[in-house]
Amino acid sequence: MKRSHDSLQGFLHLLRALIREPSVVGVEDAFFRVLRRELEEFPVTITRYHGLLVAQGDEPESNYLSAHVDRHGLLCTGPREFQYAAFIAGNRGELNGDSISEQFMELIAGRFRGQRVQAHTPYAGSYLGQGTITESFICPRRKNLIFDIDGLDFLQPGTPVSFVDRLREDDGQISAQLDNVVSVAILIEMIRRGFRGTAFFTAGEECGRSYRYVAEWFQRFDLKTQRLVVLDTSPFPTQEDLNAQEVVLRNRDSVAEFEPTVTTELREICDQLKVTHRFKDEYVTEMNKTREKQSSIGRTELGRLIDATNGEVTGTTLQLPTSSYHTQTETANLSSVEAVLKVLTRLTGADLKS
């Protein structure tokens, strides 16, 4: 583990800084500016679109990688009223019950008591103050998580409230609200190490909107690809399940089948590099054979994108296994982070010199 830790010092320094920056789903503008400042250090062309920041190297059509910038948080929706940002009324049309986030809502409802939160201005990200969650519960009429917060009574509707979060490192593991910021850090690390293709940083993934921004980008330039790889985390219930693989692959999600040639290429790379892996869709299907309550294989940005573009933009996913999903103690193994970077390097031909 120590070898992995030593080789990831630059990545950990970046991740530590990014975790401290707010990026509540639906209100990601301030984080996009932080991201731009990070990327300006590298020889890439940076372009901002609605819901999307694109960084392109000198071989932009060689490979496409995508990461989501948004994280879970709250939104002030009325006097002393706060709701889970991903499930506010404006997003209800995206939800039909088969997303992992929706299935986790009841499970996570009671996890937030005592959690410190901080409010920021929606666009600039200026700090407004801190408070403490005293209660969280599901409103059966609005079908959303509602929060009572002590200390933020003065906020106006539309103000984002993020969880106070810091990266913790212990015994070869990292923990924080890793989804989705760890994928952002991995993608920036790939650019730092020589990735020359196109990198997408998308907003609104936790409310099911990010695929639209990527689809519009490809349609804007009349481009197609079979080689889009979307980075994400993949939740597992126990430490034993987490340690069973270093990376997670997928054949499909509940919306679409992923590009089999690229999925096979990733699997073969894992075998060559002796990176342990598991297919999440196969894992869920197998687990459902012994479960009374069936779990969804999930809806992903990529599945929605494939469906929206009729397969003209397709690819596969590479996921980092984690435990304690959607909490401030979401945990990943540093060996898995290193494995993801190795696999991406071999897939894209990036020139790693670190």
Side-chain angles (χ1 to χ4, degrees), residues 228-244:
L228 173 64
V229 177
V230 179
L231 309 181
D232 206 348
T233 59
S234 184
F236 288 91
T238 68
Q239 184 68 44
E240 183 180 4
D241 288 318
L242 174 67
N243 294 336

Side-chain angles (χ1 to χ4, degrees), residues 137-154:
F137 56 92
I138 297 174
C139 174
R141 295 176 300 280
R142 287 175 287 182
K143 297 181 180 178
N144 199 357
L145 282 171
I146 310 298
F147 296 80
D148 294 332
I149 299 179
D150 182 27
L152 294 178
D153 293 356
F154 61 92

Side-chain angles (χ1 to χ4, degrees), residues 248-260:
V248 175
L249 308 178
R250 278 179 174 269
N251 297 295
R252 61 171 299 119
D253 67 1
S254 62
V255 179
E257 180 183 4
F258 298 166
E259 174 53 46

Side-chain angles (χ1 to χ4, degrees), residues 257-277:
E257 180 183 4
F258 298 166
E259 174 53 46
T261 57
V262 184
T263 303
T264 298
E265 187 177 354
L266 275 185
R267 178 179 56 77
E268 291 175 348
I269 289 172
C270 288
D271 291 339
Q272 293 163 11
L273 297 176
K274 294 181 170 52
V275 169
T276 58
H277 57 279

Side-chain angles (χ1 to χ4, degrees), residues 170-214:
D170 182 50
D171 194 26
Q173 293 187 319
I174 52 174
S175 60
Q177 188 187 8
L178 296 178
D179 187 33
N180 291 298
V181 67
V182 67
S183 300
V184 172
I186 288 172
L187 189 40
I188 295 174
E189 179 69 2
M190 283 297 297
I191 292 171
R192 185 184 76 79
R193 296 183 178 193
F195 175 66
R196 304 169 76 179
T198 295
F200 300 111
F201 298 89
T202 62
E205 186 266 339
E206 295 292 357
C207 62
R209 293 180 172 179
S210 57
Y211 76 94
R212 299 177 182 175
Y213 307 130
V214 179

Side-chain angles (χ1 to χ4, degrees), residues 51-79:
L52 181 70
L53 189 144
V54 182
Q56 295 183 288
D58 56 10
E59 296 180 4
E61 295 184 30
S62 58
N63 288 279
Y64 297 91
L65 299 179
S66 181
H68 324 306
V69 306
D70 56 302
R71 277 168 274 161
H72 280 300
L74 318 179
L75 198 69
C76 179
T77 53

